[in-house]
Amino acid sequence: METLETRELRYFLAVAEELHFGRAAQRLGMAQPPLSRAVQQLERRLGVRLLERDRRGVALTDAGEMLLHEGRAALDAVTAAARRTSRAGETDGTGARRNRLVLAVKAAASHELLHKLLGAYAAEPGAVEVEVLPSGTCEQGEMLRDGRADVALMHTPFNSLAGFDSEELLTEGQIAVLPAGHPLAARASLSLAEVTDVPDLPLARWSHDGTYPPGPGPEIHDQTQLAQLIALGRTVAVFPDSARAWLWSDHAAVPLTDAPPVVTHIVWPAHSRSLPLATLIRTATRL
């Protein structure tokens, strides 16, 4: 069987994700007829039908579902290889080689742990620059897969570690972050049920894979927005206990008695052979 080209995969994935040739063509910045021809040519080469087309629109066949899943992983791998290769060959303003690792972290999470890790690693022989890349709630895995990051701090049960190597670093409880003046802020502890059913204080909603869960709470785009909305009495949020490090004076933190523990892991691609990364991981496990 002939090998697939990345261009073909990008074309097919756009159609498979949009389930509409017009929207896919617009997303790719091309005309619709050549996109349709390219997908038909791909089907002929593979000897299978990938899409069912009728007046109602476009649907994936079983073969199309398979290529959608495998194609995403393949494109991520190609993109990651290009990004990490470019980073490996970077130079500074003098032409000297610039070695660095990109560490993806959830914005404002694990602040104390991160501070300790960066300090301890900087003291290691052969340590390289570590660029800290803040991310959304569940973006760290995607950043590792597509090469934007070399390593990440991720949190179970919120993040999936499937396909990566990892080491546990920290286990902690969870807290509700509320407006300081709210009646619940005076409680010694709360349950998850109490936090998720407050008529005047709906639970904040974070994006997961580009979509927001249903509910009356505000859609949260970044940490600063969330902090302000909590301070204004518009929402409540649930965080690991270490989030106390970024709370404002207008916030209150109340322990949750029945929330599952949050485990912070250092996570990296299973195939990595980077010596600086190995040193960073070894440093993290010694903290």
Side-chain angles (χ1 to χ4, degrees):
M1 181 181 294
E2 294 187 41
T3 58
L4 294 171
E5 298 178 3
T6 56
R7 176 183 58 83
E8 293 176 314
L9 280 178
R10 292 186 194 281
Y11 286 179
F12 169 74
L13 290 178
V15 177
E17 290 168 355
E18 298 289 346
L19 291 178
H20 191 281
F21 275 92
R23 289 195 299 268
Q26 185 176 18
R27 169 174 150 183
L28 292 165
M30 63 185 298
Q32 183 174 333
L35 174 60
S36 181
R37 289 194 297 270
V39 173
Q40 290 171 351
Q41 182 180 13
L42 176 59
E43 289 177 318
R44 287 194 296 270
R45 285 181 54 222
L46 295 177
V48 295
R49 182 174 290 278
L50 300 170
L51 303 167
E52 295 290 353
R53 308 161 178 83
D54 58 29
R55 293 179 181 176
R56 292 173 295 179
V58 178
L60 291 169
T61 65
D62 289 345
E65 291 279 4
M66 177 64 73
L67 187 57
L68 174 61
H69 175 74
E70 297 287 345
R72 281 172 174 161
L75 274 185
D76 279 345
V78 170
T79 303
R83 283 177 170 153
R84 292 194 174 108
T85 299
S86 295
R87 269 203 298 279
E90 285 180 341
T91 58
D92 61 20
T94 67
R97 183 178 173 186
R98 180 192 178 195
N99 292 323
R100 68 183 174 116
L101 292 170
V102 178
L103 170 61
V105 298
K106 178 183 173 182
S110 306
H111 177 77
E112 184 177 354
L113 175 64
L114 179 60
H115 185 75
K116 289 180 178 178
L117 173 58
L118 295 176
Y121 176 69
E124 290 286 332
V128 302
E129 175 190 351
V130 178
E131 177 185 335
V132 177
L133 185 62
S135 67
T137 306
C138 295
E139 294 178 350
Q140 300 99 310
E142 182 181 347
M143 289 177 169
L144 286 179
R145 280 187 288 270
D146 67 17
R148 282 176 289 168
D150 302 299
V151 60
L153 294 183
M154 295 169 65
H155 312 274
T156 56
F158 307 115
N159 299 128
S160 171
L161 308 182
F164 302 120
D165 283 345
S166 65
E167 290 282 353
E168 291 186 11
L169 301 182
L170 173 69
T171 300
E172 58 186 321
Q174 296 194 64
I175 56 173
V177 181
L178 308 106
H182 194 276
L184 291 180
R187 294 275 297 274
S189 63
L190 292 165
S191 70
L192 280 171
E194 289 174 312
V195 169
T196 55
D197 190 26
V198 185
D200 62 333
L201 207 62
L203 196 65
R205 294 183 294 140
W206 289 94
S207 171
H208 295 272
D209 299 322
T211 61
Y212 288 87
E219 296 181 353
I220 302 303
H221 307 290
D222 57 57
Q223 198 74 29
T224 301
Q225 175 207 16
L226 175 62
Q228 187 170 34
L229 289 176
I230 294 174
L232 291 171
R234 302 299 178 89
T235 190
V236 60
V238 174
F239 278 98
D241 189 76
S242 57
R244 294 175 186 270
W246 60 263
L247 297 188
W248 299 358
S249 60
D250 296 323
H251 299 154
V254 180
L256 293 170
T257 57
D258 57 349
V262 176
V263 182
T264 300
H265 305 253
I266 188 166
V267 185
W268 65 97
H271 62 271
S272 177
R273 297 295 183 268
S274 166
L275 291 178
L277 176 56
T279 302
L280 179 66
I281 294 163
R282 186 170 62 249
T283 303
T285 58
R286 292 201 303 253
L287 293 177

